Amino acid sequence: MIKTDILIIGAGPTGLFAVFEAGLLKLKCHLIDALPQAGGQCSEIYPKKPIYDIPGFPEVLAGDLVDNLMEQIKPFQPGFTLGERAETIKKLDDGSFVVTTNKGTEHNAPIVAIAGGLGSFEPRKPLLENLSKFEDNGVAYMIKDPEVYRDKKVVIAGGGDSALDWSIFLADVASQVTLVHRRNEFRGALDSVEKVQELKNRGKINLITPAEIIGLSGVDKLESVLIRKISDAKENIVLEVDNFIPLFGLSPKLGPIGDWGLEIEKNAIKVDTFDYQTNIPGIYAIGDVNTYPGKLKLILCGFHEATLMCQSAYQKIFPDKKYVLKYTTVGGVSGFDGSVKEAPKAVIKAIN
């Protein structure tokens, strides 16, 4: 059985940063994630997508953010159980928890922090008769490597941030980018909408609205899509393509965690904003998986929640100890491996 101080379910950015904050408190962490590598959606779904709202980084690729977080937590030597899903939880007589994965791996800790992002998720697929025939043969629901679309004819469907952002990004990669949306209005950021309009005016993006994809054609792989213009004329367009990417969002599911007796609201775990603890003492939920009044699903908010969660966890593990917050700018970072990154000391110069 794997024993640790804080068992973190979910190895996305919020879970990884929790390792750092726990490490500053000399608390050991172990992470469970159903994906085969750390990083959550940032690694699995959009590693090459730029993120703009991480403090100190005007722009950082999602994959690079994960790499930086992994480097940041290296001194604290966290453990990982990857490619396994947290399945059951049991509370022991000593107040600690045992979490068992779908492969039977048991983990024991006094604190459990659920940082599972959106939980397990599936892409929302368009209702097209022969869609499954072209999956992995021209149809994809997420973009992991933009270079796959180098010099290809690509059709993107959707009206949210992902559809807009990838249309903008692929405009300089693909030979042809067509964005199809069933409405004239988009749900994404205004800046992204304006960029798409600018690229359309420059001939870098084909924009077809209001319209929808109603058919896919091809022999061994996707060769064309049928687009219906939503108008009185009901005009149909046949467009030759290499790739079709419907970006209609993800359908999140808590999976087995939803059966742990936690208080759930709209597929998210309710928490107390004092320390992001759930209705079960000792179990916390941080990041996109939780909900509370005013909740914002942003990575930087998850970082904040992870910090307060670790402070609360320390008090639960060591109720008789009083922790005095020390700034890393003063005390540096000391890892479990004996390495010490000291903060630079000010040079005091005598005045004659």
Side-chain angles (χ1 to χ4, degrees), residues 23 26 28 71-78 333-341:
K26 304 298 181 185
K28 190 79 174 177
E71 184 66 26
Q72 187 178 27
I73 66 176
K74 190 182 293 184
F76 304 120
Q77 300 178 313
V333 175
S334 178
F336 300 136
D337 59 356
S339 63
V340 178
K341 291 185 178 180

Side-chain angles (χ1 to χ4, degrees), residues 50-99:
I51 301 174
Y52 301 102
D53 58 358
I54 302 299
F57 290 90
E59 176 184 329
V60 60
L61 295 181
D64 291 343
L65 174 63
V66 171
D67 291 342
N68 290 341
L69 287 166
M70 291 293 288
E71 184 66 26
Q72 187 178 27
I73 66 176
K74 190 182 293 184
F76 304 120
Q77 300 178 313
F80 289 90
T81 299
L82 299 175
E84 300 185 30
R85 183 182 65 247
E87 195 84 9
T88 63
I89 190 168
K90 178 175 65 174
K91 191 168 186 177
L92 303 182
D93 292 338
D94 63 0
S96 67
F97 300 92
V98 172
V99 174

Side-chain angles (χ1 to χ4, degrees), residues 74-150:
K74 190 182 293 184
F76 304 120
Q77 300 178 313
F80 289 90
T81 299
L82 299 175
E84 300 185 30
R85 183 182 65 247
E87 195 84 9
T88 63
I89 190 168
K90 178 175 65 174
K91 191 168 186 177
L92 303 182
D93 292 338
D94 63 0
S96 67
F97 300 92
V98 172
V99 174
T100 305
T101 70
N102 61 316
K103 294 186 179 180
T105 308
E106 294 185 327
H107 309 75
N108 176 236
I111 299 294
V112 174
I114 302 170
L118 294 174
S120 60
F121 48 86
E122 298 176 358
R124 293 190 176 99
K125 301 180 181 182
L127 299 176
L128 297 173
E129 185 178 348
N130 56 349
L131 182 67
S132 60
K133 172 184 176 181
F134 298 108
E135 290 177 341
D136 298 323
N137 287 301
V139 172
Y141 304 106
M142 56 189 70
I143 299 174
K144 295 183 181 180
D145 182 7
E147 284 301 312
V148 169
Y149 306 100
R150 174 70 63 181

Side-chain angles (χ1 to χ4, degrees), residues 91-244:
K91 191 168 186 177
L92 303 182
D93 292 338
D94 63 0
S96 67
F97 300 92
V98 172
V99 174
T100 305
T101 70
N102 61 316
K103 294 186 179 180
T105 308
E106 294 185 327
H107 309 75
N108 176 236
I111 299 294
V112 174
I114 302 170
L118 294 174
S120 60
F121 48 86
E122 298 176 358
R124 293 190 176 99
K125 301 180 181 182
L127 299 176
L128 297 173
E129 185 178 348
N130 56 349
L131 182 67
S132 60
K133 172 184 176 181
F134 298 108
E135 290 177 341
D136 298 323
N137 287 301
V139 172
Y141 304 106
M142 56 189 70
I143 299 174
K144 295 183 181 180
D145 182 7
E147 284 301 312
V148 169
Y149 306 100
R150 174 70 63 181
D151 300 325
K152 299 291 180 64
K153 295 177 181 178
V154 179
V155 170
I156 294 175
D161 284 314
S162 292
L164 292 166
D165 291 346
W166 280 120
S167 295
I168 294 167
F169 190 93
L170 293 179
D172 291 323
V173 176
S175 62
Q176 182 185 86
V177 174
T178 301
L179 176 59
V180 179
H181 182 41
R182 59 185 176 180
R183 297 186 180 92
N184 288 319
E185 301 79 20
F186 289 87
R187 303 185 309 277
L190 179 60
D191 180 64
S192 298
V193 175
E194 291 176 347
K195 285 181 180 177
V196 166
Q197 184 63 50
E198 178 190 351
L199 290 167
K200 173 185 178 269
N201 295 340
R202 290 166 48 196
K204 297 275 288 182
I205 289 178
N206 299 323
L207 184 60
I208 304 178
T209 64
E212 58 183 347
I213 309 292
I214 61 170
L216 308 175
S217 298
V219 181
D220 297 322
K221 63 181 184 64
L222 182 66
E223 296 174 3
S224 67
V225 298
L226 181 62
I227 304 171
R228 183 180 69 184
K229 290 289 295 275
I230 302 175
S231 63
D232 292 338
K234 301 291 184 185
E235 178 186 355
N236 289 343
I237 302 170
V238 176
L239 188 66
E240 291 186 3
V241 299
D242 299 300
N243 301 93
F244 170 46

Side-chain angles (χ1 to χ4, degrees), residues 235-292:
E235 178 186 355
N236 289 343
I237 302 170
V238 176
L239 188 66
E240 291 186 3
V241 299
D242 299 300
N243 301 93
F244 170 46
I245 311 169
L247 296 175
F248 298 140
L250 301 172
S251 178
K253 297 179 181 178
L254 284 175
I257 292 174
D259 300 322
W260 286 7
L262 301 167
E263 191 174 354
I264 307 296
E265 182 179 283
K266 295 182 179 179
N267 208 48
I269 302 170
K270 292 185 69 174
V271 294
D272 183 343
T273 52
F274 176 75
D275 56 4
Y276 304 99
Q277 195 163 191
T278 69
N279 61 303
I280 300 178
I283 301 181
Y284 298 77
I286 54 177
D288 288 356
V289 75
N290 74 17
T291 185
Y292 51 84

